[in-house]
Amino acid sequence: MSLLSTHGLDAFYGDFQALYGVNVALEEGQCVALIGPNGAGKTTLLRALMGWVPVAEGMVLFDGHQIGGASPDRTVAMGIASVPEGRRLFPSLTVDENLIMGRESGRRGAWTLDGIYDLFPSLRGRRGHLGSGLSGGQQQMVAIGRALMANPRVLLVDELSLGLAPTVVNDIARALPRIRETGVSIMLVEQDVRRALSLSDYAYCILEGRINLQGPSGELEFGDIEKSFFGEAA
Amino acid sequence: MTGYTVRRYGQHHIWIGVLALLSVLVLAALPAFAGKAALRIATEMAGYMALAVMWNLLAGYAGVMSIGQQAFVGVGAYALFVLCGTMGLPLIPAIIAAGLLTTLLSIPVGLILFRLNGAYFAIGTWVVAEIFLLLTAQSQTLGAGAGLSFPAGVAKSFGTATERAALFWWIALSIVLLSVGVAYLWLRSSRGLALTAMRDDAEAAAGLGVDTKRNRLAVYLLAAGVAGMVGAVLFLGKLRISPAAAYDINEWTASIIFIVVIGGLGRLEGAILGTLIFFVLRGFLADFGAWYLMAMGAIAIVVMLRMPQGIWGFLHERTGIELFPMRRDICPPKGRAMS
Amino acid sequence: MTELLNSIIQGILIGGLYALFAAGLSLVFGIMRIVNLAHGDLIVAGSFLMYSAASVLGLPIWVAALLVLPVMALLGYGLQRSLINHTIGTNVLPPLLVTFGISIILQNGLLQLFTADNRKLDFGAIEVMSLKAGPISVGWYAILVFAVSVATIWGLQVLSFHTRLGRVLRATTDDPEVARVMGVRTEHVFGIAMAIALVICGIAGVLLSAWTSFTPLSGPSRLLIAFEVVVIGGLGSIWGTLIGGVVLGVAQALGGYFDPAWQTLAGHISFIAILALRPQGIMGGRRQ
């Protein structure tokens, strides 16, 4: 049984239907990538998993329980932490305080402030700085660290590399295997297809609210993915 | 796009128009069969209705939340007492002058207050009303805290008590018809389309090039002018004015908000229906004093939470009924289906 | 000249109390983006609770004062969870209208219970004792009120920046959506924020109950003062409220010094002047 899975997931923004019967699965210890063009529904899918978008109860299963429609504060308490699109640090809180906010879910475990600073050493010197005063890469590190402070079983990362310099993304990407070593499963949305495939074990391509290509990351052909972006059969 | 037409009226609107014309005629003839007391109440109702239509235009369409319209009611009323009562200007020009004065006054007030957003704007309007109240109460010419009486001689020149009641009723009726008419035509114009877009989503409307600030200010000026004229005619009927009564937030704003919320925010018909409901409730419950006001507060809360579209909005959603056709149906040319 | 100086000192001291009026309003606005139109009536409700406990039940002043605060906290949490939380969204109207409704119910409920008579509590000798330094004389009660006000605002500052609750409040102020993703139950946090705001209202109400007379209809003028202080001081600044309070207090004192009738008016006019000249307020740097 998968750790986290969706079953015929439909999601709406008002009258607009963003997802149509989507089935995805994340196994314990796995890293799954969601790829697809802008507006395809990747972010909506993550939002449905974390509870930002209301969906029917049975459409999302986590550890054998139906959790569709649970509010974000409940999903994080169950162990699904997220790095929202655009990082969204608390601008008037310091780096330390931002990270500590991750503990509000009440989950205790291996991740501590020191653990986060070991993972991202460049943050250590910025502990007392306000979240709004950091570079984009550092903000992303804080956002990931903040989610890890919830000691989650699943980490949802929306737009890992968006707007960041390649060297900075490399630094952050290098941390992912170390995060997985601690037993955290990851689902990430990533625009850069090659990077998405290299980081993940399995990938789903989403187009216009539907999965139109999926497979183990090592076996997916770049050309097929490119075609799937334009709605052509692979 | 050639061949598409915009249809703005339905068949039944012709009948509603005929019905409306008939009701106006009946209302105009009211003095022929109603007594003094009934005319006084009708006059009051017309005044409240005009204020409610304007408040609805402000809050329901332009998204301008003013809780300080009593400022303009008060200034308009005092203007009439001075212009007509003291300085001897004829009645009708004096009422129009009162409206012009409050419109003019609302320009600097609006320009300063529009620096505040949303809720802060609301309280800012109230502060301005308090300033007007305190300044009026300072002025010996305006009778200070005790206020003024309308000179009996001037009042008598308008005719007997019954004739006066009829005259004041016709004036109030004109003001309410003017308010409803202007509001309706405005909402149907392209400017009104902009207002409706602002009601639905101010940010998006601004993004599409709707000048939200100018539209807001324009509605604010109009509402101030109407409030001034309503103040003038209602206090003329009372023949007495004092700062506390003229700038009373409960009377000129709280009641009006109640009317609009109950009737239906963002619906022109809502203000009319709300006024009727308000006067019925007041007629039955006013003797209960504080309990009556508490009940009004509670009803407003419940409606806001449970039926935010108000009673007219509720009816409209169920039946599609509308007295003032606002919708535009796009009709495809014959022989071609809309894609 | 000394009389003028005395007025200014009096104005500064009452400014502390005005800052208390504003602190709760500002806290609630910051975190929920709503203005509570019943804020002034809730201060008055605090005064009437004090009056009931001290004069009607005959409890000692200190006991009565300490009793008012938890009652206010419960009232705040209850109002928020039962009514105000349901109005929070993108539209500014529902919270304004609902709190306006609460204001009308409170005013008329108090009127029904306590009549429209003027009330004032007697806190005993401290009200008439004064500190004299040459020609200047300052009442001890005014000094006490100022001290309690400053201490309360300092306490709010400590709470905001040195406690877990304060961190959660600030995070929710920054971004309620993401705070929820961190596991914060925002509806509960909103309730706590309103409870804190009403405890501050309670402190203000208790202090005010012996400062000047009050009636069930005194609320709106308190709300206006609170609001003016917030705008003068600048949104979102805790110490800004103290400065705003002092500015308003001194403006009123100066107005009152030249003509007693101008006291309130001078306050309102200073507000409009600041709004026209410096709309972000004296301490306000960041605009919402």
Side-chain angles (χ1 to χ4, degrees):
Chain A
M1 189 185 59
S2 308
L3 178 60
L4 178 65
S5 54
T6 66
H7 303 271
L9 180 74
D10 293 327
F12 298 84
Y13 285 111
D15 292 335
F16 171 71
Q17 183 161 5
L19 294 176
Y20 297 85
V22 168
N23 298 315
V24 297
L26 175 68
E27 307 300 328
E28 184 101 50
Q30 224 185 7
C31 177
V32 162
L34 304 174
I35 46 191
N38 276 329
K42 308 180 298 283
T43 294
T44 311
L45 177 54
L46 284 198
R47 289 183 167 212
L49 293 174
M50 64 198 255
W52 253 357
V53 175
V55 295
E57 201 181 11
M59 288 180 181
V60 183
L61 278 188
F62 177 61
D63 201 17
H65 300 284
Q66 299 191 343
I67 64 156
S71 63
D73 54 301
R74 284 186 48 217
T75 56
V76 69
M78 287 185 268
I80 305 175
S82 27
V83 177
E85 188 181 8
R87 275 81 80 171
R88 290 176 73 169
L89 301 191
F90 299 110
S92 65
L93 268 57
T94 62
V95 169
D96 259 356
E97 287 178 320
N98 264 288
L99 292 174
I100 293 169
M101 278 306 291
R103 278 202 217 136
E104 286 299 319
S105 62
R107 295 176 62 88
R108 295 289 171 266
W111 286 106
T112 59
L113 271 185
D114 270 336
I116 303 296
Y117 289 127
D118 288 341
L119 186 66
F120 298 118
S122 69
L123 290 182
R124 206 180 278 277
R126 303 246 157 196
R127 302 179 69 142
H129 288 240
L130 290 184
S132 50
L134 302 179
S135 71
Q138 286 169 332
Q139 287 190 19
Q140 186 66 295
M141 293 174 193
V142 176
I144 293 171
R146 187 175 64 174
L148 289 174
M149 289 291 280
N151 289 292
R153 296 179 67 187
V154 172
L155 180 65
L156 306 175
V157 184
D158 201 350
E159 302 291 8
L160 183 72
S161 66
L162 192 72
L164 302 182
T167 54
V168 179
V169 183
N170 288 338
D171 286 347
I172 295 171
R174 233 172 276 133
L176 289 191
R178 291 183 56 195
I179 295 170
R180 293 176 61 186
E181 278 164 24
T182 64
V184 179
S185 315
I186 302 175
M187 186 176 283
L188 59 92
V189 163
E190 175 56 50
Q191 294 278 357
D192 179 343
V193 174
R194 285 181 206 281
R195 194 182 290 282
L197 293 180
S198 77
L199 286 172
S200 61
D201 307 309
Y202 198 91
Y204 294 92
C205 294
I206 304 183
L207 183 74
E208 291 175 352
R210 293 179 176 84
I211 305 281
N212 68 348
L213 183 68
Q214 60 174 292
S217 304
E219 297 170 18
L220 285 175
E221 292 293 332
F222 189 77
D224 291 343
I225 292 173
E226 228 171 14
K227 277 185 203 156
S228 88
F229 267 45
F230 297 102
E232 299 162 28
Chain B
M1 282 298 283
T2 49
Y4 283 81
T5 50
V6 177
R7 193 180 61 186
R8 297 165 61 153
Y9 299 92
Q11 243 339 288
H12 69 287
H13 290 129
I14 296 170
W15 293 108
I16 290 178
V18 169
L19 212 65
L21 204 66
L22 280 177
S23 349
V24 170
L25 287 177
V26 171
L27 287 173
L30 203 59
F33 45 86
K36 251 187 325 193
L39 282 176
R40 274 204 197 108
I41 292 194
T43 305
E44 209 184 346
M45 273 177 87
Y48 276 65
M49 200 179 279
L51 291 176
V53 166
M54 284 301 135
W55 202 83
N56 195 8
L57 202 58
L58 277 173
Y61 288 94
V64 175
M65 175 80 190
S66 165
I67 51 176
Q69 293 306 96
Q70 66 275 19
F72 303 118
V73 172
V75 169
Y78 269 99
L80 178 97
F81 272 57
V82 171
L83 291 173
C84 181
T86 315
M87 294 164 64
L89 204 68
L91 182 58
I92 306 289
I95 287 176
I96 293 170
L100 288 177
L101 181 72
T102 49
T103 309
L104 274 180
L105 196 59
S106 70
I107 296 172
V109 171
L111 287 178
I112 291 179
L113 292 182
F114 274 84
R115 293 163 168 237
L116 295 168
N117 287 326
Y120 276 74
F121 171 85
I123 307 189
T125 61
W126 190 0
V127 172
V128 168
E130 286 297 301
I131 292 178
F132 289 1
L133 167 94
L134 291 166
L135 285 175
T136 307
Q138 295 289 302
S139 160
Q140 293 305 323
T141 339
L142 299 177
L148 297 170
S149 288
F150 199 79
V154 182
K156 284 214 178 75
S157 73
F158 304 146
T160 65
T162 318
E163 285 165 355
R164 281 206 302 269
L167 175 65
F168 298 166
W169 158 244
W170 283 322
I171 296 172
L173 181 65
S174 315
I175 295 173
V176 75
L177 289 177
L178 186 82
S179 312
V180 173
V182 169
Y184 177 55
L185 291 176
W186 193 327
L187 288 176
R188 286 186 59 92
S189 69
S190 61
R191 190 173 268 261
L193 212 54
L195 270 189
T196 311
M198 276 163 61
R199 170 191 68 178
D200 295 339
D201 188 341
E203 261 176 54
L208 291 173
V210 174
D211 188 345
T212 51
K213 195 175 171 189
R214 235 176 105 168
N215 272 311
R216 285 188 167 141
L217 193 61
V219 176
Y220 189 68
L221 299 193
L222 176 69
V226 170
M229 291 195 288
V230 168
V233 70
L234 289 191
F235 279 91
L236 183 63
K238 296 178 203 286
L239 295 179
R240 254 215 70 74
I241 192 168
S242 69
Y247 299 98
D248 186 357
I249 184 172
N250 286 320
E251 201 68 24
W252 309 122
T253 296
S255 311
I256 301 302
I257 295 179
F258 177 86
I259 287 172
V260 174
V261 170
I262 296 288
L265 196 64
R267 307 246 161 235
L268 202 43
E269 300 91 339
I272 298 171
L273 182 67
T275 309
L276 299 176
I277 295 173
F278 175 76
F279 273 80
V280 169
L281 281 177
R282 202 176 77 166
F284 282 114
L285 300 175
D287 292 342
F288 296 95
W291 287 110
Y292 150 72
L293 291 166
M294 283 162 78
M296 291 285 201
I299 293 173
I301 291 176
V302 171
V303 169
M304 200 68 239
L305 292 178
R306 300 265 165 232
M307 208 200 283
Q309 73 280 43
I311 294 177
W312 188 270
F314 181 81
L315 292 176
H316 175 73
E317 275 169 24
R318 294 287 178 289
T319 64
I321 180 176
E322 57 179 359
L323 295 184
F324 299 99
M326 293 291 176
R327 55 182 294 172
R328 297 163 193 233
D329 293 321
I330 302 200
C331 307
K334 286 192 176 68
R336 192 145 44 116
M338 265 190 87
S339 59
Chain C
M1 194 60 211
T2 45
E3 207 186 317
L4 177 65
L5 203 61
N6 270 326
S7 310
I8 291 175
I9 291 173
Q10 191 75 7
I12 293 173
L13 294 180
I14 202 170
L17 190 57
Y18 288 175
L20 275 195
F21 289 6
L25 194 72
S26 176
L27 173 74
V28 166
F29 179 79
I31 196 160
M32 302 171 219
R33 296 290 181 276
I34 65 164
V35 170
N36 177 9
L37 289 183
H39 189 78
D41 305 293
L42 287 161
I43 294 171
V44 173
S47 295
F48 274 102
L49 277 175
M50 182 67 190
Y51 171 81
S52 309
S55 283
V56 182
L57 298 179
L59 295 174
I61 299 286
W62 290 109
V63 178
L66 290 177
L67 204 63
V68 168
L69 305 186
V71 174
M72 291 298 281
L74 280 177
L75 180 65
Y77 190 82
L79 276 179
Q80 185 66 38
R81 291 301 296 265
S82 63
L83 293 176
I84 304 172
N85 266 348
H86 303 290
T87 67
I88 293 175
T90 51
N91 194 336
V92 298
L93 283 169
L96 277 177
L97 294 179
V98 166
T99 56
F100 201 58
I102 294 172
S103 154
I104 288 176
I105 292 175
L106 269 175
Q107 279 177 30
N108 290 286
L110 290 172
L111 210 52
Q112 201 68 35
L113 284 171
F114 296 99
T115 75
D117 293 349
N118 274 311
R119 315 269 169 187
K120 187 184 163 304
L121 264 80
D122 186 359
F123 284 180
I126 190 169
E127 286 188 36
V128 287
M129 291 192 307
S130 57
L131 178 69
K132 287 191 177 63
I136 292 165
S137 143
V138 187
W140 273 109
Y141 186 62
I143 295 173
L144 174 76
V145 166
F146 187 74
V148 172
S149 303
V150 173
T152 305
I153 287 171
W154 178 75
L156 191 61
Q157 179 84 9
V158 170
L159 175 86
S160 289
F161 289 94
H162 299 282
T163 66
R164 176 181 162 200
L165 175 61
R167 188 168 57 234
V168 170
L169 286 170
R170 280 183 297 132
T172 310
T173 301
D174 278 350
D175 193 336
E177 242 182 1
V178 173
R180 188 173 269 281
V181 174
M182 296 298 114
V184 174
R185 284 164 51 226
T186 43
E187 69 280 3
H188 173 69
V189 171
F190 288 167
I192 296 287
M194 191 57 90
I196 296 170
L198 288 215
V199 166
I200 302 171
C201 282
I203 296 172
V206 166
L207 293 174
L208 203 64
S209 63
W211 181 292
T212 172
S213 61
F214 56 94
T215 79
L217 302 178
S218 308
S221 61
R222 313 265 191 274
L223 169 68
L224 290 188
I225 287 171
F227 164 71
E228 290 173 349
V229 168
V230 173
V231 174
I232 293 174
L235 294 172
S237 158
I238 295 180
W239 290 110
T241 56
L242 190 60
I243 290 171
V246 168
V247 168
L248 191 69
V250 170
Q252 287 190 348
L254 288 177
Y257 172 77
F258 292 109
D259 180 350
W262 274 77
Q263 195 182 340
T264 317
L265 199 52
H268 290 327
I269 289 171
S270 68
F271 157 78
I272 291 287
I274 289 202
L275 188 56
L277 301 175
R278 195 178 158 77
Q280 74 274 36
I282 293 173
M283 292 288 281
R286 68 196 179 103
R287 284 286 283 172
Q288 265 91 9

